[in-house]
Amino acid sequence: MITKGNIGLIFDEGSFCELGERSVCSVVTGYGTVEGQQVYCFLQDASAGGGAFSVKAAEKIKSVYRLALKARAPIVGFLDSTGFSVEEGAEALYAFSDLYRVVQTAKKEILQIMIAGDNCRGQVEALCTLADFFFKDMPVDKAVLQARDIILRMPPSRDLLPYQFRTDDDLNRRIGNAPELGSNGRELLKAVSDNGAFLEIQEGTAPCLAAGFIRINGLMVAAMAVNGEQGENALGSEALIKARDLVLLADKFGLGFVEFLRTEGFRSDEDRDAVLRNAAELAGTLTEVEIPKICIITGEVMGGAYSVLAGPAFDLTFMWEGSKVNIIHPRQAAELVSGPQSVDNIGEEAKRYEESHSTAEVLEEKGLCHRIIDPADTRKFLAGALESYANIC
């Protein structure tokens, strides 16, 4: 259960200043610092009438949002409510609807983090999902530690440049076991990042896709990698939505976007229309955002997933040695191109088809790949590529 005492966990000791202390309701608001950085906060105190949402509670939350927006500072919300004030009826519902508007407006401007308590359900939980980062089903103290980490790593608002942290990690550090990590997206992202730093988002959803933020030469970069070791590496709606959320986060804060790609394509055991709709939305988002985008193909990419997750939407495309792109399985392609084959010949025909259509060398010759790289040198090439965009990311 979230109570007023939890609010001090987020701030530096002695820095919290409560606002509207005499305005009695279930919500506590104020501001303080996180390692010297200004942060605003609101908290639903579940010990005060079950944290029931009221008109006064909405006004307090909207008031602290106005301050955070004017200061271009992050805001952290603790939500733990049994529902709406029954005495106020439709007025409370109307006030909550207006709060949706405020939070959605702020989503375009400042960093928002929400932490949900045990009683956070229904519309209150839906409000939480509008935040850039949303924590639920975990101890409050653990969620607070992650929230502090995010505040220290991410820009506080969309109009401020990303931080560049000091790093002692060698930009030219080789990743000797990179080929083995190709199907383990989470570990690959850690291996590429400065000192193994990886801030993951939506860890509990779409385990086939690891997504979050890494550091390259001290600069925060959004990155994702297919995590085949967590199951098949085909992508469904949940993974496509997760990828789109990451791209939008990167765009909001002006961060570069890096993608490590190997996939069998889209899942065939889900609603096909829904998967294709989410794939199209991701493709549209990748096209629209103007941040630096780099694709690194680390293995085989199959079918329409290449059209969505690679191609001209990306500024640079690198391919690991030995990686390839196939429109369909090479054996099927060989049969379509060469006609029916005997069992003895089909393997050779499939191999010839791949060598003439699918390999990294062929794609480089056709201008679909900018460079073939040794997997061990991934970090070096990624750092160099991002450096060329240093003035815009």
Side-chain angles (χ1 to χ4, degrees):
M1 182 171 69
I2 289 176
T3 63
K4 183 177 179 178
N6 295 131
I7 206 165
L9 297 174
I10 195 77
F11 296 112
D12 301 334
E13 186 175 355
S15 71
F16 176 61
C17 175
E18 184 173 352
L19 301 173
E21 188 172 4
R22 296 183 185 277
S23 176
V24 179
C25 69
S26 62
V27 170
V28 179
T29 62
Y31 59 86
T33 60
V34 174
E35 292 200 15
Q37 181 177 330
Q38 185 89 344
V39 176
Y40 288 80
C41 185
F42 67 91
L43 176 145
Q44 283 186 303
D45 187 349
S47 67
F53 187 86
S54 64
V55 173
K56 185 176 285 188
E59 289 303 319
K60 288 188 74 172
I61 296 173
K62 288 190 291 183
S63 177
V64 79
Y65 260 98
R66 284 193 290 270
L67 293 171
L69 283 164
K70 191 165 187 176
R72 315 304 292 164
I75 188 164
V76 179
F78 294 81
L79 291 111
D80 199 10
S81 173
T82 55
F84 297 95
S85 170
V86 177
E87 291 82 1
E88 293 180 340
E91 286 183 281
L93 292 173
Y94 184 90
F96 192 81
S97 176
D98 193 38
L99 186 56
Y100 267 123
R101 179 187 60 80
V102 171
V103 174
Q104 183 62 42
T105 299
K107 185 178 180 68
K108 302 173 185 177
E109 302 296 335
I110 60 174
L111 176 64
Q112 294 186 82
I113 303 169
M114 302 280 193
I115 299 172
D118 297 334
N119 294 318
C120 186
R121 297 291 183 268
Q123 290 193 60
V124 177
E125 184 174 1
L127 184 73
C128 290
T129 64
L130 295 178
D132 300 308
F133 296 89
F134 169 34
F135 299 102
K136 68 174 183 177
D137 300 328
M138 70 168 60
V140 175
D141 55 349
K142 181 181 177 182
V144 165
L145 285 175
Q146 293 196 36
R148 284 179 61 92
D149 191 30
I150 291 167
I151 290 166
L152 295 175
R153 294 196 197 192
M154 298 292 291
S157 68
R158 69 174 302 136
D159 48 1
L160 295 178
L161 292 175
Y163 304 129
Q164 185 153 15
F165 300 87
R166 291 184 179 180
T167 180
D168 57 2
D169 201 345
D170 184 1
L171 286 180
N172 296 314
R173 170 171 56 81
R174 288 172 60 80
I175 307 169
N177 63 336
E180 290 75 30
L181 296 177
S183 61
N184 189 328
R186 185 172 292 106
E187 294 306 314
L188 177 59
L189 292 174
K190 290 179 181 178
V192 170
S193 182
D194 295 347
N195 304 115
F198 176 41
L199 176 62
E200 189 164 2
I201 67 166
Q202 301 181 28
E203 188 174 352
T205 65
C208 66
L209 186 72
F213 300 88
I214 62 175
R215 292 183 191 172
I216 303 294
N217 193 24
L219 192 68
M220 188 72 77
V221 178
M224 69 182 195
V226 176
N227 204 30
E229 289 195 355
Q230 300 300 312
E232 65 176 80
N233 65 17
L235 303 174
S237 287
E238 193 175 51
L240 294 166
I241 293 169
K242 183 177 180 177
R244 182 169 177 265
D245 287 347
L246 180 65
V247 175
L248 290 172
L249 259 181
D251 182 54
K252 173 178 175 177
F253 294 110
L255 304 178
F257 175 72
V258 178
E259 170 190 88
F260 296 87
L261 183 62
R262 64 164 63 192
T263 177
E264 300 164 7
F266 300 131
R267 292 183 67 101
S268 59
D269 58 346
E270 294 187 13
D271 182 320
R272 181 171 176 78
D273 289 341
V275 171
L276 293 178
R277 182 173 61 253
N278 286 307
E281 289 181 1
L282 172 58
T285 300
L286 283 167
T287 299
E288 289 172 2
V289 299
E290 296 182 356
I291 54 176
K293 291 162 286 185
I294 300 169
C295 176
I296 302 175
I297 296 176
T298 62
E300 184 174 19
V301 179
M302 187 71 74
Y306 175 81
S307 300
V308 172
L309 292 156
F314 286 81
D315 302 295
L316 287 171
T317 297
F318 297 123
M319 294 184 73
W320 279 6
E321 296 168 349
S323 61
K324 52 193 174 183
V325 176
N326 274 305
I327 189 167
I328 56 176
H329 193 281
R331 292 176 70 92
Q332 294 174 297
E335 289 180 347
L336 288 171
V337 172
S338 305
Q341 300 287 319
S342 68
V343 175
D344 294 334
N345 292 337
I346 191 62
E348 286 298 319
E349 289 295 331
K351 182 178 179 182
R352 278 195 285 271
Y353 175 84
E354 277 204 308
E355 289 175 348
S356 61
H357 290 78
S358 311
T359 65
E361 290 77 12
V362 170
L363 268 67
E364 187 178 34
E365 288 174 7
K366 294 181 176 181
L368 307 181
C369 163
H370 293 95
R371 178 149 182 163
I372 300 168
I373 64 174
D374 181 339
D377 290 329
T378 298
R379 177 175 161 82
K380 177 180 74 174
F381 279 99
L382 185 54
L386 290 168
E387 183 66 26
S388 66
Y389 294 108
N391 63 324
I392 59 171
C393 75

